[in-house]
Amino acid sequence: QVNLVESGGRVVQSGGSLKLSCSTSGFNFDDYDIGWFRQVPGKAREGVACVSTPGGLRWGDGVDHYGDSVKGRFTIVRDKAKRTVFLQMNNLQPEDTAVYFCAADDIRCAWGLTHPNSWDYWGKGTQVTVSS
């Protein structure tokens, strides 16, 4: 059974940093792309970042992909030994306030970032609040 658990969300001041974790279990870690998404009430879920499976495997291109609003500020890191995907978020702004979810699937990562409903497996989310 695929299980994803997000952690690390909290209240942070504008300009600050946070590192979110997505701990995984129940699947071969190399088989699935992992994505981070965020959602605020009343708005659609937004793709933040995704990391594909290692190059040459399944759809994998070995490349990270980012939403336009976070490029240059957020970094996604895949740690196979820990079965965890991290999202390092720097220079946080109030508009980054949202519930952050991680997702997993055998999916073309770059395409999946703009099609959140296509991902099969989701965590329950962690709240990030950026105060001005």
Side-chain angles (χ1 to χ4, degrees):
Q1 180 180 356
V2 175
N3 192 39
L4 308 173
V5 180
E6 303 93 338
S7 62
R10 62 177 175 86
V11 178
V12 63
Q13 287 191 335
S14 180
S17 298
L18 273 180
K19 185 176 183 179
L20 304 183
S21 301
C22 173
S23 300
T24 74
S25 61
F27 61 96
N28 185 338
F29 193 67
D30 281 341
D31 281 353
Y32 284 175
D33 288 10
I34 307 292
W36 280 98
F37 297 81
R38 64 188 183 186
Q39 190 169 25
V40 297
K43 292 191 175 181
R45 196 162 289 190
E46 175 190 6
V48 174
C50 65
V51 56
S52 67
T53 54
L57 298 179
R58 305 178 80 85
W59 298 111
D61 60 6
V63 176
D64 307 336
H65 301 273
Y66 297 91
D68 289 341
S69 62
V70 306
K71 282 180 181 177
R73 299 188 298 125
F74 291 11
T75 303
I76 189 169
V77 175
R78 186 183 188 115
D79 188 326
K80 182 176 179 179
K82 296 181 179 179
R83 293 189 55 94
T84 299
V85 175
F86 300 100
L87 183 68
Q88 177 65 48
M89 306 187 295
N90 298 327
N91 190 23
L92 284 160
Q93 301 299 313
E95 53 266 32
D96 294 316
T97 295
V99 178
Y100 283 72
F101 300 88
C102 64
D105 207 339
D106 178 12
I107 195 170
R108 202 180 299 273
C109 172
W111 178 86
L113 201 58
T114 57
H115 296 79
N117 291 338
S118 299
W119 297 70
D120 281 344
Y121 305 106
W122 291 87
K124 294 182 178 181
T126 185
Q127 175 70 48
V128 172
T129 302
V130 184
S131 61
S132 57

PDB file of all heavy atoms in Angstrom, residues 7 24 59 89 93:
ATOM      1  N   SER A   7       5.615  16.454   6.174  1.00  0.00           N
ATOM      2  CA  SER A   7       5.922  17.086   7.457  1.00  0.00           C
ATOM      3  C   SER A   7       6.775  18.313   7.209  1.00  0.00           C
ATOM      4  O   SER A   7       7.337  18.496   6.122  1.00  0.00           O
ATOM      5  CB  SER A   7       6.639  16.113   8.395  1.00  0.00           C
ATOM      6  OG  SER A   7       7.873  15.707   7.848  1.00  0.00           O
ATOM      7  N   THR A  24       7.992   8.224   2.259  1.00  0.00           N
ATOM      8  CA  THR A  24       7.220   7.302   1.430  1.00  0.00           C
ATOM      9  C   THR A  24       7.412   5.851   1.857  1.00  0.00           C
ATOM     10  O   THR A  24       8.439   5.488   2.450  1.00  0.00           O
ATOM     11  CB  THR A  24       7.623   7.421  -0.040  1.00  0.00           C
ATOM     12  OG1 THR A  24       8.912   6.812  -0.237  1.00  0.00           O
ATOM     13  CG2 THR A  24       7.683   8.874  -0.497  1.00  0.00           C
ATOM     14  N   TRP A  59       9.429   6.561 -17.282  1.00  0.00           N
ATOM     15  CA  TRP A  59       9.331   7.857 -17.946  1.00  0.00           C
ATOM     16  C   TRP A  59      10.494   8.769 -17.605  1.00  0.00           C
ATOM     17  O   TRP A  59      10.582   9.873 -18.106  1.00  0.00           O
ATOM     18  CB  TRP A  59       8.035   8.571 -17.521  1.00  0.00           C
ATOM     19  CG  TRP A  59       6.779   7.871 -17.885  1.00  0.00           C
ATOM     20  CD1 TRP A  59       5.903   7.273 -17.043  1.00  0.00           C
ATOM     21  CD2 TRP A  59       6.228   7.693 -19.198  1.00  0.00           C
ATOM     22  NE1 TRP A  59       4.851   6.743 -17.739  1.00  0.00           N
ATOM     23  CE2 TRP A  59       5.021   6.980 -19.057  1.00  0.00           C
ATOM     24  CE3 TRP A  59       6.640   8.077 -20.476  1.00  0.00           C
ATOM     25  CZ2 TRP A  59       4.214   6.641 -20.131  1.00  0.00           C
ATOM     26  CZ3 TRP A  59       5.841   7.745 -21.563  1.00  0.00           C
ATOM     27  CH2 TRP A  59       4.647   7.043 -21.384  1.00  0.00           C
ATOM     28  N   MET A  89      12.473  25.365   0.585  1.00  0.00           N
ATOM     29  CA  MET A  89      11.790  26.581   0.161  1.00  0.00           C
ATOM     30  C   MET A  89      12.503  27.784   0.762  1.00  0.00           C
ATOM     31  O   MET A  89      12.575  27.915   1.991  1.00  0.00           O
ATOM     32  CB  MET A  89      10.326  26.549   0.605  1.00  0.00           C
ATOM     33  CG  MET A  89       9.587  25.297   0.154  1.00  0.00           C
ATOM     34  SD  MET A  89       7.813  25.356   0.519  1.00  0.00           S
ATOM     35  CE  MET A  89       7.849  25.363   2.317  1.00  0.00           C
ATOM     36  N   GLN A  93       7.293  33.898   0.585  1.00  0.00           N
ATOM     37  CA  GLN A  93       6.443  35.077   0.515  1.00  0.00           C
ATOM     38  C   GLN A  93       5.032  34.725   0.978  1.00  0.00           C
ATOM     39  O   GLN A  93       4.642  33.560   0.950  1.00  0.00           O
ATOM     40  CB  GLN A  93       6.417  35.609  -0.915  1.00  0.00           C
ATOM     41  CG  GLN A  93       7.784  35.981  -1.462  1.00  0.00           C
ATOM     42  CD  GLN A  93       8.459  37.075  -0.647  1.00  0.00           C
ATOM     43  OE1 GLN A  93       7.843  38.104  -0.317  1.00  0.00           O
ATOM     44  NE2 GLN A  93       9.727  36.858  -0.313  1.00  0.00           N
TER      45      GLN A  93
END
